[in-house]
Structure formats: C-alpha cells, structure tokens
Amino acid sequence: MAISKLASDINLANLDCTSLKGVGPKLAEKLERLHIRNVLDLLLHLPLRYEDRTQIKSIASLQDGDRALIKVQVEMSQVKYGKRRSLVCRAADNTASIDFRFFYFNKSQQQRLEKGAEFYAFGEVRRFGFQCNMVHPELTAITATSTAPLLDSLTPVYPTTDGLHQNSLRPLTRQAVDLLDKHPIDNLLPENVQNQFKLPDINQALKWIHTPPKDAKPESLQQFTSPAARRLICEELLAHQLSMMLHRHKLEEQQAQAMHSDGKLQDTLLQQLPFKPTKAQQRVSQEIIHDLQHSKPMLRLLQGDVGAGKTLVSAMAALQAIEAGFQVAIMAPTEILAEQHYLSFSQWMNELGVKTAFLISKLPAKQKNESLEQIASGKAQLIIGTHALFQKDVHYHKLGLAIIDEQHRFGVNQRLALKQKAPEGYQLHQLMMTATPIPRTLAMTVYADMDVSIIDELPPGRTPVQTVALSDQKREQIIQRITTACGEEERQVYWVCTLIDESEEVQCQAAETTANQLAEQLPNLNVGLVHGRLKSEQKQIVMDKFKSNELDILVATTVIEVGVDVPNASLMVIENPERLGLSQLHQLRGRVGRGSIESHCVLLYQQPLSNNAKARIQVMRDTNDGFVIAEEDLKLRGPGELLGTRQTGDIGLRFADLVRDAELVSELQQVAHDLAEQSPQLAQKITQRWLGSRQDFADV
Ligand code: ADP
Ligand code: MG
C-alpha cells in the first residue's frame, strides 16, 4: 500500500483514516462522529472495557452482567407471542441450562436452532435466581471440522456510534497499531515525570491497551490498573488540567475594566439590611471586590451551600461595578429563579436608586422592547434574566460584570455567548455561583482555570433540617404532619413531585393530580401548584401567594429547586427521592430551614429500594453538609450527573475517571503547574494531542 512507501518520519496525526484499508467515505463519516479523523485519533480512541473470549465458561458459573463464551446444545426452541413476538431457545451444557431470546429472527435462523444442534454462544448474561438468559447471543455452529472461536487475549470494546460495529472498529485499530510500530509518536511527558509516576513509553502503552498480550492479567485490564493504562490516564488528565491553565493564562493577557468605587452603595445596602453579613460573606465579598478593582479579567467561582447567602455577596459585587459606572448582568438558569432574583434585587436596588431591568424570552413584546432599550441606553444598570440576556438583539451600553447563578446548569457556549457582550477590546469580569459544592478532583480538572471563593459558614440561628425517609405506603402519616404544621404552627409546606424520566407534560400532570388529592384530603388548607408548563405570570402569581402566606401548601415540580426563598416554610415532602441526585435533593431541601424554626424534610420513597438508593437516602439523613453530599454524589453517580448533563460533554474525559483516578488528579496538579510555567510549548502539544479540535472552549 501507499503508506509503506511514505517517509519513516510520517506523522500519524496527519494521516487520514481514509488511508486505512476498508475505510471509505461512509465509514469515514461515522468515524468523524466519534471525532476520529486521523490515525492518531483512532489510537487515542480507547477501550471502555474488555470482553473475554479466551475461555469457555460453564453456565453454572455465570454471573449477572458477565459477557461470556459458552458451549451448548439446544434442548428445544419455540416462538412465543407475548407483548412482543420472540424466539426462545432453551440450551444447556453439562452444568446448567440457559435461555436465548431473539426478537429479530427469520425462518432459517429458527431452523438452525433445532433440538440437538450445538453452538458456541457469546453474549451478555442476565441472571434471575437460577434462571439464566442471553438476548441475541452471537452463535457459531459446531460442526465436525469447526474449532472453538477462542482468542489468545482479551478483546477491547470501544465507545461507538449508531451503525458502527465493534467488528468494524477493531480491524482499523489493529492497522493503526501496526502503523504505530513503524512510526512511533513522541513521548511528550518529560523524563522526570515518567520516572516519578513509573510510566511506560506512550507507544508501548497504546499497543498494550489496544492489543493486550496473552499474559496480560484480565483484572488489570478490566480495572485499568496496568502501567499502560496509567500512562494514558496521566497524560489525559494532564492534558485537561493544562488546557484549563492555558485558558487561564490566555485570559490573563487580556484587559478588563478596572472598577474603582468608594463603596458608598455597598455601605448603604448593608445599613438597610435587617442582618449583619457573616464573616464568610465579608471575606468573600472582599476577594471579589479586590479582583474587580484590577484590569485582569476576573474568573471566580463562588461556592456556598444552599442558604449560605450568596445573593448578598453577588449584590456587593454588582454594586462595585455599578458605582464605577458599568452595567451588570445576572443570568439565572430558569425563569422562576430569574424572577425571584429580580424581585429581591429590585427591592434592594430601588432603595439605592439603582435601575434594574428584567429580560426573559417570554416577556410581552412591549415590555421586552422597553427592557432592550434601557439596556442599550445604559439606563438599566443591573439586568437580570435568563439566557435571553445574550441573544443577538440585546445590546449593552457598557457591560462590565457578568454574574452567573447556578453556573453548572449552563453550557460553556452559553457562557461564551454572554462574554461576547463585553465592549470591544475588553473582557468581562465573571462571577460564577454554585450551590452544588464542587468536589476537589472536579475543581482541579473542570474548574482549574477559576479562582475559588467559598462561603463556609451559614448565617447564625439556622436550625438544621431534620430529614426522615418514609415509604409511600405511609402517606397518611404525612397528611397528619401537614395538618399540624399548617394548623397549630401556622407554617407552610412544599410538596415536590419528581418524575425524572418522564416528559415535562407527564410531570406536570402528576403534580396536578397530587395537588387535587391534597386539596381534597385537606379541605381547610389552600393548595397551590407550580410547574414548568405554566405561563410566567401565572407562576409568579402562585409564587407570590405562597410568599405572602395565602397558600399553605405549594405543590411543585423540581422547578423550585433553586432560589425560592420563603422562610416560613418548615416542611418539605419530596416524592420519589430515589430518582434524584443527592446534590439536587440537597438543593430542594435547602428551600426549608431558612428561618430559625425547626424544619423537616420527608423523603417519600417507593418500595422496593435498590441498595444504591438506600445508601443515597441514608446520606441525606446523615448529613446537611453540601460538600459531603457532593463527594458522595460523585462516588455514587459520577461527574456527569453531578454537574448536570450539559457539562458532561465539556469534561470530555475519554479514558480517565475522576472518581477512580481521584488520587492521580491531585498528584498531577504540581506537574501541570510546572509544565505550564516552564514548558508552555510542550503543554500545548499535550493538550493538542488529547483535546485537539474539541478545545473550542479554550478560545477566550
Ligand atoms: P443562597 O446562598 O442559597 O443563594 P440566599 O442568598 O438566598 O442563599 O440567602 C438565604 C437566606 O438567608 C435569605 O433569606 C437571606 O436574606 C438570608 N441571609 C443572607 N445572609 C444573611 C446573614 N448574614 N444573616 C442572616 N440572614 C441572612
Ligand atoms: Mg441563591
């Protein structure tokens, strides 16, 4: 082939996949969907796990979830007409029997599976007690001359996409590995790092991972604990950390507006408050104000548990910018939250003579135009809204600071879009807020480009929320509790309906049904309902009524997750808590316990609970500490879930795992720092190798 004629210093990154045997335009397009364009991309497309086709297992030894090769004889087969037509085939070896199930089959396949026929079968095992199952196993008929389809070593299983089979990917990877043998790639890690972490050569590592040798230990392959895996994990983690650091460096070379003020507005606000800011609030406000006074663009993450008082801190930051003559945009992920912010900020700001504007996409045209005009003329100093804030038709007069609430709910692109609204030649200062504490490992990878401020203290006088778990069958008890809370104690109640996998429509219906039931069961109480399908004004009316205590019970979908503030609410019931992430539950629960009264949260679960669900509910009962909860969430559900789906793609780790490899993440911190400082070009090469074209977010 043409390839062998090429110069020996050929660069695999410049060698298109189409140069491989068997890759035509169609396959190339599918590979492209996996971000695989050249041979190096293919080599860095690493296995998710391995299949064991090196031995024949006995049926009796199979565990649920195993993917295994077995040797069987058919005992009977039969077409069944249940919900779906299927072909069921009972087969056995000399230890036990197993059922194969086919939903797609034709006449000849059916005939092949006649009684007495012998097969090798490979597939995923489902075990219910003694009953063993495989759906659509791969079958190889045993004939007088056939040999077992056994392989010498474990078979890698790759992440793939629609219409691209493992069997199409594997031969390509093999070709890529052969090419690698002839045209090795550079070891980008400095010697001392390779020695410190005992890492093998990158070429050896890639070869080992894609085509494991016969004697490779299956466990070390499956668990990615081999030196080869470690090499790739380290390199990938480093690439990510470096990419964030380089992003940071790039940002620092740019100009933002230095914002000087005498702090008059801030002082006036503090004097008006019915409380004193906590020490933590003061410290963190100072950190932010200090940043704003400089022309280096601020990129700061403000963390604080629910109820820690982030709103006040963000107001202090906003006033710094406003007094210095700049506009401030506050962006919230939901309309409800944007409205809540608008209400609380306007109250504070009106008294200070600061003009606010509100902008969400649903606003009536007249109101919207008015907002747009005030934003463009500079009349509006503080602008609060949703993603509507960065749409094309929004022109700012002199935007200086962007405050992004619940930042993990926004994608990187949305944050970038808002940044584009800075005046020509300047960067915005950015303050990101989150009530979902970021575990350290995540902070060091995903947020390594940000400075972090933490409000580590709650306002005084808070009584921790008591959390209990109750089976759905004991609903009666809860009705009793509600009667007491709303009756004698004159408190208010949230009832949260969660149906995570269902459509929004179904969720809203469920909430409606619950609201009707409660209204029936509790005729003396006023029940309100909010969900995502309500028009924005309708939502506001209900929320206002709940705030002013005209409603005793607020039935809601998870739209109230963030930001709602009604200190008189002392009881929250959460249906199906087993379906939510811990951090989300913690957020919800944070809606109560906002005053000094004792508050309760009832997790109303459905039986039976899985062990994992039990463990998660236990965590909620044991602690009110958002940081502990986030760490547990990360362990139990992984980073994607914790950060919200939007950001999963942004992390884009292909091989490393922030939970499994947490220790390496911290050990590599220093290495990343040194590399970024001392060898920026090398650092650039490492990020380029692993992140390549996916690095759009690094474009400041
Ligand atoms: P979060 O950090 O969850 O956004 P908020 O800013 O909504 O928290 O504050 C929660 C509640 O605590 C609000 O009712 C707020 O007015 C009140 N609050 C904030 N700071 C203090 C403080 N220093 N002392 C007493 N109450 C405070
Ligand atoms: Mg808040």
Side-chain angles (χ1 to χ4, degrees):
M1 271 209 52
I3 289 165
S4 54
K5 289 195 198 123
L6 293 170
S8 63
D9 60 352
I10 191 168
N11 182 348
L12 296 186
N14 295 336
L15 199 57
D16 266 7
C17 284
T18 44
S19 61
L20 297 173
K21 214 162 67 191
V23 183
K26 267 205 183 136
L27 186 50
E29 188 215 297
K30 285 178 191 159
L31 291 171
E32 173 86 35
R33 268 190 258 149
L34 295 169
H35 300 275
I36 301 174
R37 284 179 202 131
N38 56 55
V39 174
L40 183 63
D41 291 338
L42 196 55
L43 286 165
L44 294 178
H45 190 67
L46 297 163
L48 289 171
R49 55 187 167 80
Y50 293 85
E51 279 175 4
D52 188 354
R53 296 173 188 249
T54 65
Q55 51 177 324
I56 294 172
K57 291 266 179 85
S58 69
I59 297 176
S61 74
L62 298 179
Q63 306 281 327
D64 188 52
D66 281 356
R67 295 176 61 86
L69 186 65
I70 53 178
K71 185 183 175 189
V72 297
Q73 185 168 42
V74 176
E75 293 184 334
M76 62 151 219
S77 58
Q78 161 182 33
V79 178
K80 287 209 170 157
Y81 298 89
K83 251 195 233 159
R84 251 174 109 184
R85 195 175 80 111
S86 66
L87 172 63
V88 179
C89 166
R90 165 76 43 100
D93 63 10
N94 53 19
T95 66
S97 68
I98 187 165
D99 283 345
F100 299 147
R101 199 173 270 274
F102 302 85
F103 296 102
Y104 309 99
F105 57 94
N106 56 30
K107 201 91 205 148
S108 80
Q109 281 163 322
Q110 199 178 334
Q111 279 161 358
R112 228 158 63 108
L113 288 165
E114 64 183 2
K115 184 169 184 220
E118 289 187 292
F119 290 96
Y120 295 107
F122 184 87
E124 184 166 335
V125 179
R126 286 278 154 250
R127 196 177 247 295
F128 309 95
F130 289 112
Q131 188 53 38
C132 226
N133 245 315
M134 268 186 196
V135 176
H136 282 273
E138 275 172 44
L139 297 179
T140 314
I142 302 179
T143 63
T145 53
S146 64
T147 50
L150 284 175
L151 300 176
D152 296 345
S153 57
L154 296 196
T155 317
V157 179
Y158 295 98
T160 182
T161 173
D162 266 356
L164 182 63
H165 293 284
Q166 296 294 331
N167 289 342
S168 322
L169 258 175
R170 277 186 206 126
L172 303 184
T173 311
R174 283 185 176 269
Q175 290 182 61
V177 170
D178 287 343
L179 283 167
L180 185 67
D181 269 341
K182 293 190 205 113
H183 314 285
I185 58 172
D186 290 340
N187 272 308
L188 297 179
L189 300 189
E191 281 257 334
N192 64 331
V193 177
Q194 301 200 72
N195 293 340
Q196 183 190 341
F197 290 88
K198 301 199 178 62
L199 304 176
D201 168 85
I202 179 81
N203 297 286
Q204 281 171 13
L206 284 170
K207 182 169 183 177
W208 200 90
I209 287 287
H210 287 296
T211 53
K214 262 190 263 188
D215 55 356
K217 288 212 183 70
E219 313 81 69
S220 91
L221 270 167
Q222 296 290 19
Q223 284 153 34
F224 300 101
T225 50
S226 65
R230 198 175 151 84
R231 160 90 204 197
L232 300 170
I233 291 167
C234 280
E235 211 172 302
E236 182 177 33
L237 286 173
L238 259 183
H240 276 260
Q241 296 186 358
L242 285 170
S243 143
M244 299 314 267
M245 285 175 191
L246 294 175
H247 174 228
R248 176 66 191 233
H249 285 181
K250 252 193 195 167
L251 188 66
E252 285 181 352
E253 284 165 9
Q254 312 205 24
Q255 284 285 314
Q257 322 250 12
M259 299 171 167
H260 298 289
S261 83
D262 300 335
K264 279 207 198 88
L265 289 173
Q266 290 152 350
D267 291 344
T268 319
L269 173 65
L270 291 179
Q271 278 159 21
Q272 285 168 6
L273 290 179
F275 51 75
K276 263 182 68 101
T278 60
K279 283 235 168 56
Q281 282 171 317
Q282 290 173 23
R283 186 192 69 239
V284 166
S285 301
Q286 279 316 312
E287 286 169 0
I288 297 167
I289 290 168
H290 177 266
D291 283 357
L292 293 177
Q293 288 167 339
H294 292 84
S295 59
K296 200 169 83 179
M298 173 173 81
L299 185 56
R300 192 172 274 280
L301 181 67
L302 172 58
Q303 296 194 50
D305 213 338
V306 272
K310 293 184 290 297
T311 317
L312 174 60
V313 173
S314 61
M316 298 290 280
L319 291 176
Q320 178 75 22
I322 290 166
E323 195 173 322
F326 295 93
Q327 284 177 307
V328 176
I330 301 185
M331 182 162 77
T334 65
E335 290 184 353
I336 273 208
L337 184 52
E339 281 155 18
Q340 290 278 317
H341 274 328
Y342 180 62
L343 288 180
S344 32
F345 275 101
S346 320
Q347 258 175 14
W348 285 347
M349 296 299 152
N350 284 346
E351 310 230 344
L352 302 175
V354 171
K355 282 266 175 296
T356 51
F358 183 55
L359 190 65
I360 58 175
S361 46
K362 269 198 214 150
L363 280 188
K366 183 160 167 267
Q367 228 175 313
K368 193 172 189 174
N369 287 334
E370 201 175 310
S371 286
L372 289 175
E373 209 180 281
Q374 293 183 351
I375 295 170
S377 71
K379 187 155 176 255
Q381 296 161 287
L382 179 65
I383 303 107
I384 296 165
T386 54
H387 57 277
L389 289 177
F390 57 75
Q391 302 308 315
K392 262 214 227 71
D393 55 347
V394 191
H395 302 282
Y396 291 84
H397 178 65
K398 198 177 173 192
L399 186 60
L401 167 65
I403 299 176
I404 299 170
D405 198 12
E406 300 302 325
Q407 62 83 31
H408 61 286
R409 300 264 209 112
F410 291 99
V412 165
N413 291 335
Q414 293 173 304
R415 295 200 311 245
L416 280 178
L418 184 57
K419 282 175 60 177
Q420 306 303 332
K421 300 291 184 187
E424 183 87 32
Y426 285 99
Q427 283 291 324
L428 289 184
H429 290 293
Q430 295 180 82
L431 179 64
M432 318 282 192
M433 303 205 280
T434 179
T436 301
I438 314 292
R440 261 172 58 79
T441 45
L442 278 188
M444 285 188 284
T445 35
V446 188
Y447 298 109
D449 56 340
M450 298 188 193
D451 290 312
V452 177
S453 290
I454 300 180
I455 310 182
D456 52 5
E457 175 187 10
L458 290 178
R462 297 270 168 90
T463 333
V465 181
Q466 299 290 327
T467 300
V468 295
L470 209 58
S471 147
D472 190 31
Q473 284 150 8
K474 302 199 177 139
R475 261 181 131 86
E476 277 307 308
Q477 283 187 21
I478 300 187
I479 300 298
Q480 197 50 49
R481 259 178 189 254
I482 295 180
T483 315
T484 319
C486 298
E488 299 142 40
E489 297 170 12
E490 295 182 22
R491 300 294 172 202
Q492 289 162 278
V493 176
Y494 291 102
W495 185 296
V496 186
C497 301
T498 67
L499 286 170
I500 284 306
D501 297 331
E502 307 291 343
S503 70
E504 198 185 351
E505 172 114 31
V506 176
Q507 294 198 28
C508 299
Q509 276 168 7
E512 216 165 299
T513 312
T514 305
N516 290 338
Q517 276 173 359
L518 287 173
E520 233 167 72
Q521 286 172 303
L522 296 158
N524 297 329
L525 300 180
N526 295 318
V527 181
L529 171 68
V530 276
H531 57 60
R533 288 253 154 156
L534 290 185
K535 285 223 180 75
S536 155
E537 309 96 76
Q538 289 173 301
K539 269 189 250 173
Q540 201 49 55
I541 291 172
V542 180
M543 294 307 301
D544 287 348
K545 279 190 176 166
F546 191 61
K547 264 200 152 162
S548 61
N549 205 352
E550 285 168 63
L551 291 173
D552 302 291
I553 306 174
L554 183 68
V555 177
T557 54
T558 44
V559 292
I560 60 149
E561 183 186 335
V562 283
V564 179
D565 190 23
V566 180
N568 190 48
S570 70
L571 174 62
M572 171 172 284
V573 180
I574 305 177
E575 282 193 79
N576 307 319
E578 66 274 16
R579 303 198 195 185
L580 296 187
L582 295 182
S583 294
Q584 208 182 355
L585 284 171
H586 183 61
Q587 283 283 314
L588 279 170
R589 177 170 70 179
R591 300 304 112 214
V592 292
R594 308 211 121 209
S596 55
I597 43 171
E598 174 142 333
S599 300
H600 296 269
C601 174
V602 179
L603 303 175
L604 193 58
Y605 64 86
Q606 284 192 0
Q607 281 173 321
L609 282 180
S610 69
N611 284 339
N612 184 294
K614 273 186 202 151
R616 302 209 324 235
I617 286 182
Q618 191 60 39
V619 174
M620 293 308 294
R621 295 170 54 184
D622 287 349
T623 179
N624 271 301
D625 182 332
F627 276 87
V628 175
I629 287 171
E631 291 282 356
E632 289 297 321
D633 218 6
L634 182 62
K635 275 189 219 141
L636 292 167
R637 303 206 312 166
E641 296 285 341
L642 182 62
L643 292 173
T645 39
R646 295 251 176 85
Q647 219 147 20
T648 325
D650 301 345
I651 308 175
L653 288 172
R654 338 174 178 190
F655 198 57
D657 177 319
L658 291 180
V659 179
R660 182 191 66 203
D661 307 322
E663 218 165 294
L664 279 178
V665 174
S666 10
E667 287 173 27
L668 287 167
Q669 270 278 288
Q670 192 56 48
V671 177
H673 267 290
D674 294 348
L675 270 175
E677 289 290 319
Q678 293 154 20
S679 332
Q681 279 182 338
L682 200 53
Q684 187 77 51
K685 278 190 182 165
I686 297 172
T687 57
Q688 184 59 30
R689 171 178 284 178
W690 286 88
L691 298 165
S693 57
R694 302 186 205 189
Q695 243 181 317
D696 2 349
F697 61 89
D699 298 335
V700 184

